[in-house]
């Protein structure tokens, strides 16, 4: 037994696991129960460590004494992130058809029976289940519910797992069924939403696109929300797609016709991900919308593409109006755009100075960020940044210190000491690097030797 590897896996230290495996430790090392350490990572829902072990050579298909495999246990766990980590390379070619069918049947049974129902069947207990929300991946991008009964815990991502397995085995599940799996979860941050999105983003056929966008007119708002999120994410991950103009046309046309404010906000957010000529028209159309959530997504649509081309006169007038919007977040968004245009810089800076003093502390960090990097080097901006050196607000403190360092302001010394005292020093951060280098250049950091 490789004791260091066992300890690293149990501690969830994926970097130590990676180092030890790279140095020759056996990734299939058994733990105290005789099972490979991959099973311990699966039991702990530790997708990061499980992924490191599989990448390092651990066998996800190793048959265990109870007839299962580590991959089977990952599917059973209900964690889509865990299955992604353990699935390994070329599962369609690696696994026999019978093994693939068993994994699909396992995931489908959980999905169709429901987590609570299957837990009651397995435990023989009829009592209530305990349900808690947990991050399903190490980055915290999506979540699942961890459901427990009589000492047995699983997560409720089996619909996402079924979707991932079908695509890995090249089973083309109807688009309608996939969307139904996603929208069965009301929260779009649920792991099942992401798995369905991921698979549909990978399915690039015309048939898939046509079937998916047909749901724009679905009577259930959840289906329309899914389509809006799909095209938004597609704009992020496939901005160089040969179909980008067609997709931008689709979103732009939707924005021109949408009447529901909540849906319109989502569609405008999607449009913001496309280099499409309809962006400015949508911004001009909705800059005065009565719903503040809609107005908040308008300013970035006024940003022209390219190397800061000038704003058209109507866009400039619209942006000036947004700088005076009654909502602070709308004004903040307008400032971010206006700072890039010399003719609007003074107005934007004046608004940011007001936002930096706003009673709402949530506005201070973005205001400090915009002031820090803006080209205005007047004393008023430096004084505003110095006033934001609040050790009880580390994010704002860091932004303000960065702005002072860029201006070679002597109050950067205070920022340096406060950031260190507040333990607000991030790793590999350009803002802290600027403050640190200013402190070094000005003799605040003693040399060694």
């Amino acid at each position: 037994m490789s004791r260091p590897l066992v300890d690293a896996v149990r501690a969830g230290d994926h970097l130590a696991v990676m180092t030890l495996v790279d140095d020759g430790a056996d990734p299939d090392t058994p733990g105290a129960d005789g099972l490979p350490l991959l099973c311990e990572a699966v039991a702990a829902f530790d997708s990061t460590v499980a992924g490191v072990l599989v990448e390092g050579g651990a066998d996800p298909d190793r048959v265990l004494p109870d007839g299962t495999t580590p991959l089977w246990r990952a599917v059973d766990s209900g964690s889509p992130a865990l299955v992604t980590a353990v699935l390994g390379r070329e599962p369609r070619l690696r696994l026999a058809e019978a093994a693939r069918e068993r994994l699909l049947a396992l995931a489908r049974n959980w999905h169709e029976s429901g987590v609570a129902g299957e837990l009651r069947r397995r435990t023989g207990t009829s009592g209530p289940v305990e349900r808690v929300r947990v991050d399903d991946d190490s980055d915290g991008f999506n979540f699942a519910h961890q459901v427990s009964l009589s000492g047995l815990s699983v997560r409720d991502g089996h619909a996402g797992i079924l979707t991932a397995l079908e695509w890995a085995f090249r089973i083309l599940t109807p688009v309608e069924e996939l969307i139904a799996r996603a929208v069965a979860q009301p929260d779009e941050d649920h792991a099942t939403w992401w798995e369905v999105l991921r698979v549909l983003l990978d399915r690039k056929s015309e048939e898939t696109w046509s079937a998916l966008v047909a749901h724009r007119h679905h009577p259930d708002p959840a289906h329309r929300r899914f389509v809006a999120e799909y095209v938004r994410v597609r704009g992020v991950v496939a901005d160089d797609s040969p179909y980008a103009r067609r997709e931008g046309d689709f979103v732009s046309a939707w924005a021109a016709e949408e009447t529901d404010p909540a849906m319109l906000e989502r569609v405008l957010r999607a449009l913001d991900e496309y280099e499409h000529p309809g962006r400015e028209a949508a911004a001009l159309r909705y800059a005065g919308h009565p719903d503040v959530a809609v107005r908040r997504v308008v300013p970035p649509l006024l940003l022209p593409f390219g190397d800061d081309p000038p704003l058209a006169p109507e866009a400039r007038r619209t942006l000036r109006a947004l700088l005076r919007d009654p909502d602070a977040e709308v004004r903040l968004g307008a400032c971010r755009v206006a700072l890039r245009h010399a003719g609007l810089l003074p107005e934007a800076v004046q608004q940011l100075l007001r936002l930096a003093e706003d009673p709402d502390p949530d506005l201070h960090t973005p205001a400090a960020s915009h002031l820090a990097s803006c080209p205005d080097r007047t004393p008023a901006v430096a004084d505003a940044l110095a006033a934001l050196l609040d050790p009880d607000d580390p994010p704002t403190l860091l932004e303000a210190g960065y702005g002072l360092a860029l201006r070679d302001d002597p109050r950067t010394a205070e920022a340096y000491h406060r950031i260190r005292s507040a333990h607000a020093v991030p790793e590999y951060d350009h803002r802290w690097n600027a403050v640190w280098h200013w402190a070094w250049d000005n003799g605040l950091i003693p040399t060694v030797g």
Side-chain angles (χ1 to χ4, degrees), residues 47-335:
S47 58
T48 305
V49 166
V52 170
L53 289 170
V54 172
E55 283 295 315
D59 184 1
D61 309 319
R62 180 174 179 172
V63 179
L64 305 172
D66 64 356
T68 66
T69 65
L71 178 55
W72 173 281
R73 293 185 177 203
V75 171
D76 209 38
S77 77
S79 166
L82 199 53
V83 171
T84 298
V86 178
L87 192 57
R89 298 174 184 173
E90 300 292 350
R92 183 171 65 92
L93 302 178
R94 191 184 76 235
L95 296 168
E97 182 179 359
R100 299 198 302 269
E101 288 298 330
R102 285 194 295 270
L103 291 170
L104 288 166
L106 176 63
R108 190 177 297 111
N109 178 63
W110 276 105
H111 168 52
E112 294 176 353
S113 300
V115 171
E118 181 62 13
L119 276 176
R120 291 190 180 102
R121 187 192 70 79
R122 290 195 180 194
T123 62
T125 305
S126 59
V129 298
E130 178 186 353
R131 186 184 300 265
V132 295
R133 176 174 171 144
V134 295
D135 289 338
D136 191 53
D137 60 9
S138 59
D139 296 321
F141 288 142
N142 49 59
F143 79 95
H145 295 104
Q146 189 156 306
V147 186
S148 303
L149 181 66
S150 297
L152 183 61
S153 295
V154 295
R155 295 183 179 175
D156 65 347
H158 293 97
I161 291 172
L162 178 59
T163 301
L165 290 177
E166 287 168 342
W167 178 238
F169 301 153
R170 292 304 181 262
I171 297 170
L172 295 181
T173 307
V175 170
E176 293 74 14
E177 183 177 342
L178 294 181
I179 295 178
R181 292 176 190 173
V183 302
Q185 294 289 346
D187 194 322
E188 294 162 33
D189 291 328
H190 193 278
T192 293
W193 268 75
W194 170 245
E195 288 300 326
V196 174
L197 271 174
R198 182 182 65 81
V199 166
L200 288 173
L201 288 166
D202 282 345
R203 285 173 54 170
K204 299 178 174 65
S205 69
E206 286 295 318
E207 292 80 4
T208 294
W209 168 260
S210 298
L212 199 148
V213 298
H215 284 252
R216 169 188 159 188
H217 300 291
H218 197 282
D220 185 347
H223 286 246
R224 302 198 297 276
R225 288 200 308 271
F226 183 89
V227 176
E229 181 65 1
Y230 169 84
V231 292
R232 185 193 70 81
V233 176
R234 183 155 180 81
V236 174
V237 303
D239 60 335
D240 59 348
S241 163
Y243 305 109
R245 181 55 186 262
R246 175 197 67 177
E247 292 155 10
D249 288 345
F250 169 80
V251 184
S252 181
W254 189 356
E257 300 168 6
E258 184 59 61
T259 57
D260 177 68
M263 192 64 64
L264 177 59
E265 177 201 0
R266 293 170 179 273
V267 176
L268 291 177
R269 289 190 186 279
L271 182 58
D272 188 34
E273 302 297 341
Y274 290 86
E275 296 187 15
H276 192 274
R279 291 165 54 92
E280 182 179 296
L284 298 178
R285 184 183 304 115
Y286 296 117
H289 197 280
D291 191 291
V292 66
V294 172
R295 297 201 309 278
R296 285 175 179 174
V297 299
V298 164
L301 294 171
L302 289 167
L303 269 175
F305 287 99
D307 296 327
D308 290 335
L311 287 171
E314 190 174 359
R316 184 182 294 269
R317 286 192 295 271
T318 299
L319 195 53
R320 278 202 166 98
L322 292 169
L323 285 168
R324 299 188 294 272
D325 193 275
D327 180 72
E329 290 192 31
V330 174
R331 297 198 303 275
L332 189 63
C335 286

